[in-house]
């Protein structure tokens, strides 16, 4: 028996025997699952050379789904506690292709009964499984054919399209008994229009060439009535590949189609009703707002005419007319923005300075019992947008928040960089996340679901058009972004705009602090303040930063195409994946990507695993030195 893992476990003749076997992968694992030996069969089946795989964990042979499900550890635990594990499943070769494997893992003990490792035997069963699957599929079709199915017409056709057998479902749906239909051509089920168009012939040709034909359409019963049919026609071939006929399955979908048509008609009626309600809401709102404007204009004009000899009074009246006209223009602009007919004057916007101007406009419009807070990232990306439309969107959100805080509260406007991976609305890439949050009365789920609808408002009839939030939504969509809302009764509301980062010529050369950026660093740090401080230091050193707050989030960013210059991660992380585990996963998938760890604990915590470590707390000089070592270049600290 074995005494230590680093001692031979087989005598020389048995070694030669194992190494000469090429149909089975036979190899050893240490108690933690790392490969310690590798035979010729393993090399042939899995594709790894001995020097490539020794010391690697056997979990790399498992699919990503099995790894996430913890299958490798379950295999070892079973073998450890029960002495053996046997199973079948998909495994992954070196080139990424999959094969169906039959696996046996045996526990190996030394003379004292202590675990010293595992013996693993794997056989490629892909071809056998394919044959089994094909046999099962053929048996499935045969069972369906011979069973007395009544909801489906299931029958066979010869290569020319004549019916060769007939089941109970076919008799019920089409009305013919087997004696009446066997030997007849299947085209008799088609309408005269389809016969004239050559559809039966086209169906056979499609199934013959591609193996299958699927369609829906009208078919004719024996009594001449029509029914709406869903049809599948499969080509049947023998072992030599010669066509021997077709399997045809037909389902009567008439009731379902009629129900669908009734549903569509009801939806159309509902849409028309909602449209009329929306038009009524719009009419009332517009009438209210424009009547106010016209009243102001008419009144000011009349007073001006009565005081024609008083230039100062005439000037004040004309100012009132002009202000009312501006309000009317603003209302029209909201209508155009919702319809996305408002032409945008796109230019690159520096959001940090832009927010200073916008908050200057917002503050005077807030009541004294509302606190305004702004939070803007130092490394905020520029965006391409229409400054006036963006300003109007922010003002609409701010005034909506103000109206929701009748008893006062806090209005927070923030902006940060984000990299999206398909959510929301399928957005991918670099965006600025702009949020307007309030501590007001919040919204019910029903109101929140309709908050961006045109003309929808919770205000009384005639008090407004309900176009403010619609303008926000239309503007975000028009520039290629998205708008979202989170809220709940008495929980306030947070509106989020996703604004695409600039792709213009001026954004092509990224600059940090006036200098060309040295590259982007992916920061992985669960503490928001520490992450922001790290980003600030990296910015001073000439780097851009993307912040993530967990290893899972960082891996998702990398999978979505994020290409950082370096990963800078804390060792202790939430979510079950530490910084060291993250570094190992990154090293496996992106071996060329530099990694720098940081920790407030002993350097030995991470250093023993082969990754460079920066000890917390660190200053700019220490960070610059660590970056320079990892990137193999000098990084000046000032």
């Amino acid at each position: 028996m074995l005494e230590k893992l680093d001692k031979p476990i087989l005598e020389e003749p048995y070694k030669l025997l194992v190494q000469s076997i090429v149909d089975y992968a036979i190899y050893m694992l240490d108690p933690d699952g790392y490969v310690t030996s590798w035979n010729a069969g393993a090399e042939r089946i899995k594709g790894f050379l001995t020097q490539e795989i020794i010391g690697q964990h056997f979990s790399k042979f498992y699919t990503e789904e099995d790894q996430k499900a913890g299958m490798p550890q379950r295999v070892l635990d079973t073998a450890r506690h029960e002495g053996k594990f046997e199973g079948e499943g998909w495994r992954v070769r070196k080139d990424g292709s999959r094969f169906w494997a039959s696996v046996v893992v045996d526990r190996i003990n030394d003379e004292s009964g202590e675990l010293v490792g595992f013996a693993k035997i794997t056989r490629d069963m892909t071809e056998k499984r394919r044959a089994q699957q094909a046999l099962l599929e053929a048996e499935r079709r045969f069972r369906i054919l011979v069973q007395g199915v009544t909801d489906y017409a299931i029958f066979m056709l010869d290569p020319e399209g004549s019916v060769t057998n007939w089941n109970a479902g076919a008799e019920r749906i089409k009305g013919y008994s087997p004696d009446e239909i066997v030997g007849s051509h299947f085209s008799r089920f088609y309408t005269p229009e389809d016969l004239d168009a050559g559809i039966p012939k086209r169906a056979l040709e499609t199934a013959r060439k591609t193996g299958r034909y699927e369609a829906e359409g009208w078919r004719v019963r024996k009594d001449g009535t029509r029914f709406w049919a869903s049809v599948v026609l499969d080509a049947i071939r023998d072992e030599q590949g010669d066509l021997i006929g077709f399997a045809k399955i037909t389902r009567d979908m008439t009731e379902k189609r009629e129900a669908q048509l009734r549903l569509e008609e009801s939806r159309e009626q509902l849409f028309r009703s909602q449209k009329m309600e929306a038009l009524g809401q719009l009419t009332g709102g517009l009438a209210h707002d424009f009547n106010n404007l016209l009243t102001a204009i008419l009144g000011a004009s009349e007073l001006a005419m009565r005081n024609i000899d008083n230039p100062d009074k005439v000037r004040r009246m004309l100012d009132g007319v002009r202000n009312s006209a501006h309000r009317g223009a603003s209302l029209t602009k909201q209508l155009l923005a919702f319809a996305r007919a408002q032409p945008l004057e796109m230019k690159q916007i520096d959001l940090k300075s832009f927010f200073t101007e916008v908050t200057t406009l917002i503050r005077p419009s807030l009541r004294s019992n509302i606190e305004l807070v702004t939070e803007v990232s130092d490394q905020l990306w520029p965006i391409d947008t229409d400054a006036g439309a963006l300003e109007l969107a922010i003002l609409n959100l701010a005034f909506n928040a103000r109206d929701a805080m009748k008893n006062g509260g806090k209005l927070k406007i923030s902006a940060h960089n984000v990299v999206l991976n398909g959510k929301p609305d399928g957005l991918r890439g670099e965006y600025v996340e702009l949020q307007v949050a309030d501590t007001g009365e919040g919204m019910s789920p029903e109101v929140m679901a309709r908050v961006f609808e045109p003309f929808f408002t919770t205000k009384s009839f005639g008090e407004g058009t309900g176009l403010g939030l619609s303008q926000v939504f239309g503007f975000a969509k028009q520039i290629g972004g998205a708008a979202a809302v989170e809220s709940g009764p008495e929980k306030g509301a947070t509106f989020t705009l996703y604004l695409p980062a600039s792709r213009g010529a001026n954004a092509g050369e990224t600059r940090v602090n006036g200098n060309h950026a040295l590259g982007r660093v992916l920061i992985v740090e669960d503490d928001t303040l520490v992450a922001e401080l790290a980003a600030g230091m990296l910015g001073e050193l000439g780097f851009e930063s993307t912040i993530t707050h967990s290893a899972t989030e960082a891996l998702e960013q990398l999978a979505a195409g994020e290409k950082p210059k370096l990963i800078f991660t804390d060792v202790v992380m939430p979510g079950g994946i530490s910084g060291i585990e993250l570094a190992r996963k990154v090293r496996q998938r992106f071996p060329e990507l530099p990694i720098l760890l940081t920790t407030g604990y002993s350097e030995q915590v991470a250093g023993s695993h082969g990754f460079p470590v920066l000890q917390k707390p660190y200053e700019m000089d220490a960070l610059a030195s660590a970056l320079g070592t990892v990137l193999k270049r000098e990084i000046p600290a000032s």
Side-chain angles (χ1 to χ4, degrees):
M1 297 298 290
L2 301 177
E3 294 181 358
K4 290 184 179 180
L5 198 59
D6 59 354
K7 288 187 177 183
I9 66 168
L10 293 172
E11 297 298 331
E12 195 62 25
Y14 296 103
K15 278 187 178 180
L16 294 175
L17 174 63
V18 170
Q19 287 298 329
S20 65
I21 295 174
V22 296
D23 290 330
Y24 292 80
I26 303 175
Y27 54 99
M28 296 286 298
L29 306 177
D30 70 11
D32 295 321
Y34 290 91
V35 178
T36 59
S37 71
W38 197 247
N39 82 324
E43 184 172 324
R44 185 188 69 82
I45 293 173
K46 298 178 184 281
F48 291 91
L49 299 176
T50 301
Q51 59 269 28
E52 294 177 312
I53 202 62
I54 295 296
Q56 299 289 324
H57 198 270
F58 87 114
S59 61
K60 74 186 305 174
F61 309 135
Y62 284 75
T63 63
E64 187 174 352
E65 310 93 87
D66 283 350
Q67 290 184 27
K68 289 181 179 178
M71 177 62 73
Q73 187 60 46
R74 193 152 57 245
V75 168
L76 291 186
D77 290 343
T78 300
R80 179 180 288 110
H81 297 301
E82 300 179 12
K84 174 177 287 193
F85 171 88
E86 293 183 79
E88 291 190 359
W90 290 111
R91 298 295 184 269
V92 182
R93 307 184 207 272
K94 177 184 176 181
D95 62 5
S97 62
R98 297 187 176 194
F99 67 101
W100 187 262
S102 173
V103 177
V104 177
V105 181
D106 285 294
R107 172 186 172 117
I108 298 177
N109 301 326
D110 61 14
E111 292 179 350
S112 62
E114 292 294 322
L115 173 69
V116 295
F118 302 92
K120 195 168 187 297
I121 301 176
T122 301
R123 187 180 182 187
D124 185 352
M125 304 292 287
T126 308
E127 294 301 323
K128 183 177 180 180
R129 184 174 187 271
R130 285 174 181 163
Q132 290 174 340
Q133 292 295 318
L135 179 59
L136 289 174
E137 179 65 12
E139 290 175 349
R140 183 189 69 84
R141 292 188 178 184
F142 181 76
R143 284 197 305 272
I144 292 175
L145 185 62
V146 297
Q147 289 169 356
V149 177
T150 58
D151 289 334
Y152 293 82
I154 304 173
F155 54 98
M156 298 287 293
L157 306 178
D158 67 16
E160 285 71 43
S162 296
V163 178
T164 60
N165 58 36
W166 197 246
N167 84 323
E171 183 172 354
R172 187 187 69 83
I173 292 172
K174 297 179 184 281
Y176 296 93
S177 67
D179 294 339
E180 294 175 301
I181 201 65
V182 171
S184 300
H185 199 270
F186 85 112
S187 60
R188 71 187 300 172
F189 309 132
Y190 284 74
T191 64
E193 312 92 82
D194 287 348
L195 289 171
D196 291 341
I199 290 180
K201 181 179 180 182
R202 192 181 312 147
L204 290 182
E205 289 177 350
T206 301
R208 183 180 291 112
K209 292 178 181 178
T210 67
R212 169 170 284 212
Y213 171 82
E214 295 186 60
E216 288 191 3
W218 291 111
R219 297 294 184 269
V220 182
R221 308 184 206 270
K222 176 184 175 181
D223 61 7
T225 59
R226 296 189 178 193
F227 68 99
W228 189 261
S230 172
V231 176
V232 177
L233 186 65
D234 284 305
I236 307 298
R237 299 183 182 276
D238 61 17
E239 295 178 352
Q240 288 72 42
D242 296 328
L243 180 70
I244 59 175
F246 302 92
K248 193 168 188 300
I249 302 177
T250 301
R251 187 178 184 188
D252 185 350
M253 305 290 287
T254 309
E255 290 185 2
K256 182 177 180 181
R257 183 172 186 269
E258 290 175 350
Q260 185 175 357
L261 290 175
R262 288 194 297 270
L263 178 61
E264 290 175 356
E265 184 178 353
S266 298
R267 286 175 176 171
E268 181 63 26
Q269 292 175 351
L270 177 61
F271 172 75
R272 286 195 293 268
S273 173
Q274 290 175 336
K275 185 176 181 181
M276 294 304 296
E277 179 185 353
L279 287 174
Q281 187 79 356
L282 173 63
T283 303
L286 287 176
H288 174 272
D289 287 353
F290 274 111
N291 276 334
N292 286 341
L293 297 177
L294 292 174
T295 299
I297 291 172
L298 289 172
S301 299
E302 183 176 357
L303 288 174
M305 292 176 66
R306 289 175 177 271
N307 295 274
I308 197 72
D309 295 330
N310 187 338
D312 290 338
K313 198 163 188 176
V314 170
R315 186 178 296 107
R316 288 198 303 273
M317 295 303 102
L318 291 178
D319 283 341
V321 171
R322 183 178 60 183
N323 290 336
S324 295
H326 281 314
R327 288 174 60 197
S330 176
L331 182 59
T332 304
K333 191 173 184 180
Q334 288 189 17
L335 286 166
L336 291 173
F338 164 71
R340 303 182 200 176
Q342 171 72 19
L344 298 181
E345 298 179 9
M346 304 294 287
K347 63 180 181 179
Q348 191 177 91
I349 300 295
D350 178 0
L351 283 175
K352 196 167 185 182
S353 59
F354 180 83
F355 276 119
T356 302
E357 300 172 3
V358 174
T359 51
T360 302
L361 292 175
I362 294 174
R363 287 184 191 279
S365 302
L366 301 179
R367 297 187 300 276
S368 59
N369 60 354
I370 295 179
E371 177 188 4
L372 176 61
V373 178
T374 59
E375 181 182 286
V376 181
S377 170
D378 290 336
Q379 305 295 326
L380 207 60
W381 294 323
I383 64 171
D384 288 329
T385 190
D386 182 299
L390 177 59
E391 179 182 292
L392 180 60
I394 296 174
L395 289 174
N396 277 329
L397 291 174
F399 296 156
N400 185 75
R402 176 199 63 191
D403 295 342
M405 295 186 288
K406 295 180 174 60
N407 299 319
K410 182 167 73 173
L411 171 62
K412 180 178 179 181
I413 303 177
S414 61
H416 300 87
N417 298 333
V418 293
V419 178
L420 302 181
N421 185 26
K423 292 182 179 180
D425 295 353
L427 299 182
R428 295 180 181 276
E430 297 177 346
Y431 287 77
V432 172
E433 181 185 77
L434 189 158
Q435 290 189 327
V436 178
D438 65 67
T439 58
E441 59 193 22
M443 292 176 277
S444 67
E446 294 77 18
V447 171
M448 189 167 64
R450 300 186 61 191
V451 73
F452 291 123
E453 286 185 16
F455 323 124
F456 175 75
T457 178
T458 56
K459 298 178 181 178
S460 300
F461 184 80
E463 290 187 359
T465 60
L467 286 174
L469 295 179
S470 296
Q471 179 272 334
V472 173
F473 183 85
F475 160 72
K477 288 291 186 181
Q478 192 172 0
I479 66 171
V485 61
E486 293 183 8
S487 184
E490 307 303 325
K491 294 183 179 179
T494 299
F495 286 85
T496 303
L497 296 183
Y498 295 96
L499 310 174
S502 177
R503 298 293 189 270
N506 293 333
E509 293 184 354
T510 305
R511 304 178 73 86
V512 176
N513 295 329
N515 299 314
H516 291 288
L518 300 176
R520 185 181 306 283
V521 175
L522 179 60
I523 299 173
V524 190
E525 170 63 64
D526 61 309
D527 189 300
T528 303
L529 177 59
V530 174
E532 291 289 346
L533 290 173
M537 286 189 181
L538 289 166
E540 291 296 323
L541 295 175
F543 293 89
E544 288 186 293
S545 298
T546 297
I547 296 175
T548 59
H549 296 296
S550 70
T552 300
E553 186 180 349
L555 290 171
E556 289 176 352
Q557 296 255 4
L558 293 172
E562 174 79 5
K563 300 295 183 184
K565 187 83 171 179
L566 174 139
I567 292 181
F568 184 39
T569 177
D570 191 11
V571 169
V572 180
M573 297 291 295
I577 303 179
S578 70
I580 296 172
E581 291 172 309
L582 170 63
R584 285 175 174 164
K585 291 177 180 292
V586 171
R587 181 62 51 82
Q588 288 180 352
R589 297 174 60 182
F590 309 98
E592 75 287 351
L593 184 56
I595 302 168
L596 176 61
L597 303 178
T598 183
T599 180
Y601 297 94
S602 168
E603 292 186 18
Q604 299 299 321
V605 172
S608 61
H609 293 274
F611 297 100
V613 182
L614 175 61
Q615 188 73 19
K616 289 182 180 179
Y618 51 81
E619 296 182 343
M620 190 84 71
D621 289 343
L623 178 59
S625 176
L627 292 171
T629 301
V630 174
L631 297 175
K632 297 181 172 58
R633 60 174 295 180
E634 184 178 353
I635 307 295
S638 60

